[in-house]
């Protein structure tokens, strides 16, 4: 179980807590709803909504955990909150697992880090910071009006229906860019990959290789770019890059048309 922190406090999601106590998440939620007077916000739990929730999801996107994009409210349980739930469940397994959480999750033994581990951690944090910066810069470029144009472009010009999911939209947008730029299918995806790597200072093909190794996926099994982005929660970033490519391709196409008429 990957450690999750919020505002410097070690926490567990409802799903993680239920997994640890070997019960259904609905049991955790039911116990909380029936005993709200015994839980204090900021002491036993945190409740994330709106921008706080979005920032938290961005913060944990590199961890091996997924939070549904449809989530509108997320509860995070502190050590004291986990203790309250353990008492309410009252099972031997819950008490056993709480002791384990206490020792290894909320109060893990301190390990002296080597110089290489410190440098590796600093490099990883730098990559995360660069990604956050690149994402903010791209979002600032896309004003509300640009987003309206994006939806119109996807629904009207590109044949991307409103009933398509984000993964299908990404495929359709890259295909549309490929047609507009007069490229072969494989060249269009190479252009997109290069643009994505440049925007987020990364190597997405290497990231896919590392992802497959981490999740024990056979080397011969192909994980496509849209599939990878969906699995790690980065489809919104990919759509922004595809939109920029498509917009630039349309601009070049319009200029070429004018020059031909001249």
């Amino acid at each position: 179980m990957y450690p999750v922190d919020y505002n410097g406090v070690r926490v567990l999601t409802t799903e993680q807590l239920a997994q640890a106590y070997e019960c259904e998440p609905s049991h955790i939620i039911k116990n909380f709803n029936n005993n709200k007077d015994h839980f204090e916000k900021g002491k036993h739990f945190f409740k994330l909504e709106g921008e706080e929730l979005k920032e938290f999801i961005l913060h944990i996107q590199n961890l091996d955990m997924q939070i549904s994009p449809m989530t509108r409210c997320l509860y995070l349980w502190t050590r004291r909150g986990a203790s309250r739930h353990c008492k309410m469940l009252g099972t031997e397994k819950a008490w056993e697992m709480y002791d384990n959480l206490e020792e290894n999750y909320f109060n893990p033994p301190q390990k002296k880090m080597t110089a290489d581990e410190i440098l590796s951690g600093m490099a990883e944090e730098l990559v995360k910071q660069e990604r956050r910066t690149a994402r903010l810069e791209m979002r600032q470029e896309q004003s509300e009006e640009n987003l309206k144009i994006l939806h119109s472009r996807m629904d009207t010009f590109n044949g991307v229906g409103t009933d398509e999911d984000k993964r299908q939209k990404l495929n359709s947008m890259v295909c549309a860019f490929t047609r507009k730029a007069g490229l072969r299918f494989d060249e269009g995806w190479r252009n997109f990959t290069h643009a994505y790597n440049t925007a987020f200072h990364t190597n997405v093909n290497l990231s896919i290789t590392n992802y497959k190794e981490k999740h024990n996926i056979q080397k011969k099994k192909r994980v496509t770019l849209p599939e990878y982005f969906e699995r790690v929660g980065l489809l919104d970033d990919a759509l922004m890059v595809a939109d920029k490519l498509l917009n630039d391709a349309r601009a070049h196409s319009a200029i070429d048309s004018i020059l031909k008429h001249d």
Side-chain angles (χ1 to χ4, degrees):
M1 184 183 296
Y2 284 86
V4 179
D5 294 317
Y6 177 72
N7 286 348
V9 179
R10 183 60 51 85
V11 294
L12 289 162
T13 65
T14 299
E15 285 71 20
Q16 286 178 312
L17 192 59
Q19 181 182 3
Y21 289 163
E22 294 189 359
C23 69
E24 295 297 324
S26 58
H27 292 167
I28 302 294
I29 297 170
K30 182 178 179 181
N31 284 343
F32 172 66
N33 288 335
N34 291 338
N35 298 275
K36 285 187 177 181
D37 292 342
H38 298 287
F39 287 88
E40 182 180 336
K41 188 176 181 180
K43 180 178 180 181
H44 298 102
F45 70 94
F46 297 99
K47 181 180 179 181
L48 305 189
E49 298 176 289
E51 289 302 317
E52 282 186 317
L53 177 57
K54 291 180 182 178
E55 288 297 321
F56 179 75
I57 292 176
L58 288 177
H59 173 67
I60 65 167
Q61 65 182 8
N62 291 323
L63 299 181
D64 187 24
M65 60 183 300
Q66 294 289 329
I67 295 178
S68 170
M70 300 301 292
T71 300
R72 295 292 176 264
C73 174
L74 182 70
Y75 284 91
L76 301 175
W77 308 100
T78 66
R79 179 182 62 82
R80 290 182 173 181
S83 175
R84 288 283 166 96
H85 280 293
C86 176
K87 293 174 183 177
M88 290 176 181
L89 289 169
T91 64
E92 286 295 328
K93 188 63 180 180
W95 282 110
E96 176 187 338
M97 292 309 299
Y98 176 74
D99 288 340
N100 183 49
L101 289 173
E102 182 79 39
E103 293 178 10
N104 300 307
Y105 187 82
F106 290 112
N107 297 298
Q110 295 298 316
K111 175 187 174 184
K112 188 175 181 180
M113 297 179 67
T114 65
D116 287 342
E117 287 174 333
I118 294 173
L119 289 174
S120 177
M122 292 173 63
E124 184 177 346
E125 185 57 37
L126 180 61
V127 170
K128 291 179 182 178
Q129 182 60 43
E130 287 181 343
R131 174 176 287 281
R132 285 194 290 266
T133 301
R135 186 180 293 112
L136 287 172
E137 289 175 350
M138 292 186 71
R139 285 176 177 169
Q140 287 172 356
E141 290 179 1
Q142 290 185 307
S143 62
E144 290 185 5
E145 185 62 29
N146 286 335
L147 288 176
K148 292 178 181 177
I149 294 173
L150 166 60
H151 291 305
S152 175
R153 184 184 302 130
M154 288 191 297
D155 297 338
T156 306
F157 295 104
N158 296 330
V160 182
T162 55
D163 59 339
E164 286 191 327
D165 59 26
K166 290 181 179 180
R167 182 169 160 181
Q168 291 171 323
K169 286 180 180 178
L170 177 61
N171 271 307
S172 297
M173 292 177 73
V174 174
C175 287
F177 157 72
T178 300
R179 291 194 300 271
K180 283 293 179 182
L183 302 172
R184 296 196 312 270
F185 182 77
D186 58 326
E187 290 176 332
W189 278 104
R190 275 202 296 272
N191 273 263
F192 166 79
T193 302
H194 176 72
Y196 185 91
N197 289 341
T198 301
F200 291 108
H201 310 284
T202 188
N203 183 329
V204 70
N205 289 326
L206 179 59
S207 297
I208 292 176
T209 299
N210 293 336
Y211 178 87
K212 289 170 66 176
E213 291 178 357
K214 181 178 180 181
H215 295 274
N216 297 318
I217 299 175
Q218 294 181 358
K219 291 184 178 180
K220 292 183 179 180
K221 181 175 174 58
R222 184 167 177 253
V223 176
T224 65
L225 284 172
E227 181 182 356
Y228 169 73
F229 288 132
E230 183 178 52
R231 288 188 180 205
V232 298
L234 295 177
L235 273 171
D236 285 334
D237 293 347
L239 283 169
M240 284 193 291
V241 173
D243 174 57
K244 187 169 181 59
L245 278 177
L246 183 55
N247 202 19
D248 289 344
R250 280 218 167 82
H252 288 305
S253 178
I255 292 172
D256 289 343
S257 177
I258 293 172
L259 291 176
K260 286 179 182 178
H261 283 85
D262 288 347

